[in-house]
Amino acid sequence: MSNKSTVAKKLSLDDPLQFIKGVGPKRADLLKKLNLETVSDALFFLPFRYEDRTQVKKIIELVPGETASFLGEVVNAGTVRIGRRRKIFEALVQDDSGFLHVKWFQFNETYMTEKVKTGRKLIFSGKPTHNKRGGGLEVIHPNTEIQSDGSSESLEIGRIVPIYHSTDGLHLKSLRKIIKNLVDNYKNLIEEFLPDKILKRYKFPTRSKAIQKAHFPPNDASIELLDKFQDSSQARLIFEEFFLLQLTLALKKRHLQVEECGQPFKTRGELIHKFMELLKFDLTKAQKKVLGEIMHYLEKNEPMNLLLQGDVGSGKTVVALISLLTGVDNDCQTALMAPTELLAEQHFLSIRPFCEALNITIALVTSSGTAKEKSLLHSSISNGTTQIIIGTHALIQKKIEFSKLGLIVVDEQHRFGVLQRDALSKKGLTPHVLIMTATPIPRSLALTLYGDMNVSFLDEFPPGRIPIETKLFYEDSRNTAYTLLEKEITEGRQAYVVCPLIEESESIDLKAAIDVSEELQNRRLPNFKIELIHGKLKKEERQKIMAAFKNGEIDVLVATTVIEVGIDVPNATVMLIEHAERFGLAQLHQLRGRVGRGKQASICLLICSHALTVDGKARLSAIVKSRDGFSIAEEDLRIRGPGDFTGTRQSGMPLLRAGSLLRDIKLLELSRREAIDLIEKDPKLEAPEHIKLKEALHHTFGNQTNLMKVI
Ligand code: ADP
Ligand code: MG
């Protein structure tokens, strides 16, 4: 005696897909490959394009130049050779009204032979054209789909058909069927959480309607809007995704302002004036503007939380130093964190002379040194004797206690994660924070990742810079590249040679660097001083080499990527990069930024292997063409996608399902404004009309407790 109706489990959007009708374990595995595990995942897995198959025509009705679909049976099909080199795949197709040829110039033979078989019925969509040789109509590269029989026919023809990114082994039509089934069965469970006001203001459909429409648009929907992701259904879903994200950021920002109180600084004090007299150059207009902004934030009654974006070489260090000194002038300790020990050392060496002249105590914290040295250092920090502390992220380790940390500067932010930022506040410290990034982050990504921060731009270079020329060489012309390098060092300039990134493993990369430096010293450039620098060297040794390079005692510095960020030697005018294709765009731009810092013209020589991938080619041509860090960063985002963007993987950025940081900037900015506005009015989301929203936030970000502790 079954009592199914009462025992039957209630449907939930969190139901695993495996137990859904038409799925099963095998398909569930395939769906997992698409990151789809629950019903809700699948419902938010939107089509990436649509096909207008509302106009289903007979072959005889097809009009040249008018996109249409037709149903045809393959009469015969196969590869045809044209001349010696070219192949096309061609099929003759018929329906009860006539015949037509369809052709592919680019195809995978195995795949096509299997799919477009004699006797098979297929749906073709495309634009018919006149055959050039006068043989009637033909369709080049039609979209082709196997027609399923019977019941599901209506999903594939006579309508606007959704096209999804599928995976091998999962036919598009099966995926479509699964999603249709889910939409039908679960649509009533999809609850609205956006406030009414927002729905009305933007004329957004409800959540449930949007899901239905985005997957299966009505026949009168605009394909053009759909393909641009601008249909109101899509816009709504993208908006809600961004909105939730921006709400968490707005909450965090608000929380920082209200609950933590930094110390307001008095700015432009005595110390700063003394420092300006020591400085050998005038600040650029942009540096002055940015410093003005920083001073404005420092004078406030709340901790500064500022992201400073400035291209490589725009002069961020002096901005950092003035900020540090402002802290010292307010009887606080200040710290500067760098992503690598080498860079921390460089900062230390260039800042120390100023500190000595100004009578300020400064210390470098690194992982090296004896236990005794370390403990001495740590106590000088905890008792407040040391005023400026420079180091890597070792600085925020548990062991180090500050006496009164008032301001912290984080250089080259792209190596630091959001989590490290939080580590400081966990220590009960609420210093002013200035984060500087040299890899300009595309605006959209900055809004997403650092939406809780204020942003300033250092958008001008110090005067007298000559743009760096970038040249690309293939392996077999590396001699030409080295000849250019030799010419420069013969004239007294210096050069960097950066060695390939072979693996993530430093020791293997090191082997390659050793080979290159020996080859240079022994054969190619025996009359010059070549030196090798890498991350495995002892601190003292590294400092010695860097100092010698700075003093011009070394002609060519061969390096693993340890020199990627921050190093500043104006007499170096050549940056030669071996196996340039192995580096990311942002990295190449960083490396290139090591030269072009003085009054001489500089060159960047990229050597790459012949076996370039399409992405590799795109990357290298972007770096050759553009000198602007921002457009390079945008390009990087386009080529690699945001998930891959340096450092974001570990930063806890949620995967975007509907929205794209490239395509949907407008909606992103809109959602940001709305989120800030809403949190201003209802900081704890307590109003009745925001209850559902609060639930949605907890549901989406519940596991990120530090984000959620506020509400
Ligand atoms: P980045 O922004 O990449 O950190 P740096 O701070 O290292 O750039 O500055 C690059 C170079 O420009 C350094 O040699 C620095 O001394 C110099 N510099 C910075 N500001 C100015 C300025 N206002 N006038 C002239 N040179 C400057
Ligand atoms: Mg720098």
Side-chain angles (χ1 to χ4, degrees), residues 73-75 77 112-122:
E73 186 182 331
V74 179
V75 181
M112 288 302 283
T113 314
E114 160 56 33
K115 186 172 179 185
V116 186
K117 269 191 203 159
T118 303
R120 183 167 268 171
K121 280 192 177 151
L122 295 158

Side-chain angles (χ1 to χ4, degrees), residues 317 411-412 566:
T317 315
D411 193 14
E412 317 291 358

Side-chain angles (χ1 to χ4, degrees), residues 57-63 70-73 93-100 137:
K57 300 212 159 149
K58 293 280 180 197
I59 287 177
I60 201 169
E61 295 168 335
L62 294 174
V63 179
F70 58 96
L71 204 63
E73 186 182 331
V93 175
Q94 70 168 2
D95 67 6
D96 56 14
S97 76
F99 292 90
L100 182 85
L137 285 187

Side-chain angles (χ1 to χ4, degrees), residues 461-667:
F461 286 98
R465 295 281 167 79
I466 306 169
I468 305 161
E469 193 184 349
T470 304
K471 291 184 171 165
L472 193 61
F473 299 88
Y474 286 95
E475 296 283 358
D476 50 9
S477 53
R478 67 151 27 83
N479 273 335
T480 325
Y482 275 97
T483 308
L484 287 171
L485 180 147
E486 190 176 347
K487 188 167 159 279
E488 287 285 314
I489 56 176
T490 307
E491 287 172 14
R493 309 277 93 79
Q494 291 162 280
Y496 298 99
V497 171
V498 175
C499 287
L501 209 63
I502 294 177
E503 303 192 14
E504 294 288 293
S505 144
E506 263 241 56
S507 48
I508 297 177
D509 289 354
L510 183 55
K511 165 86 177 58
I514 293 171
D515 289 351
V516 168
S517 94
E518 283 177 355
E519 150 83 13
L520 284 180
Q521 188 69 86
N522 299 338
R523 272 185 287 280
R524 218 186 270 274
L525 303 167
N527 301 324
F528 294 93
K529 177 100 174 85
I530 317 287
E531 194 64 74
L532 175 68
I533 193 163
H534 55 83
K536 289 254 166 82
L537 284 178
K538 285 226 172 64
K539 184 174 86 179
E540 293 73 28
E541 218 158 323
R542 229 162 37 202
Q543 284 186 349
K544 230 171 69 193
I545 296 175
M546 279 319 295
F549 189 64
K550 257 195 162 149
N551 290 337
E553 293 154 27
I554 295 169
D555 300 299
V556 181
L557 191 64
V558 179
T560 55
T561 44
V562 290
I563 61 152
E564 181 190 332
V565 282
I567 304 295
D568 182 42
V569 178
N571 188 47
T573 56
V574 185
M575 168 60 66
L576 186 147
I577 303 172
E578 289 279 354
H579 278 286
E581 76 278 3
R582 303 231 167 108
F583 296 87
L585 257 183
Q587 247 183 334
L588 287 173
H589 183 61
Q590 273 289 335
L591 285 169
R592 177 168 63 180
R594 294 312 109 216
V595 296
R597 297 182 153 243
K599 298 259 181 298
Q600 274 86 23
S602 294
I603 42 174
C604 174
L605 311 168
L606 306 174
I607 301 185
C608 67
S609 96
H610 282 281
L612 272 184
T613 61
V614 176
D615 275 9
K617 242 186 210 139
R619 270 209 302 273
L620 293 178
S621 84
I623 200 91
V624 170
K625 274 202 305 255
S626 177
R627 299 188 176 113
D628 166 37
F630 280 94
S631 65
I632 289 173
E634 295 277 352
E635 195 58 30
D636 209 16
L637 182 60
R638 201 184 318 277
I639 297 170
R640 290 196 295 164
D644 244 11
F645 210 80
T646 334
T648 54
R649 261 216 188 114
Q650 308 91 301
S651 67
M653 181 165 115
L655 204 71
L656 291 174
R657 293 193 292 192
S660 148
L661 294 178
L662 278 174
R663 187 190 58 210
D664 308 316
I665 306 252
K666 285 220 175 82
L667 283 169

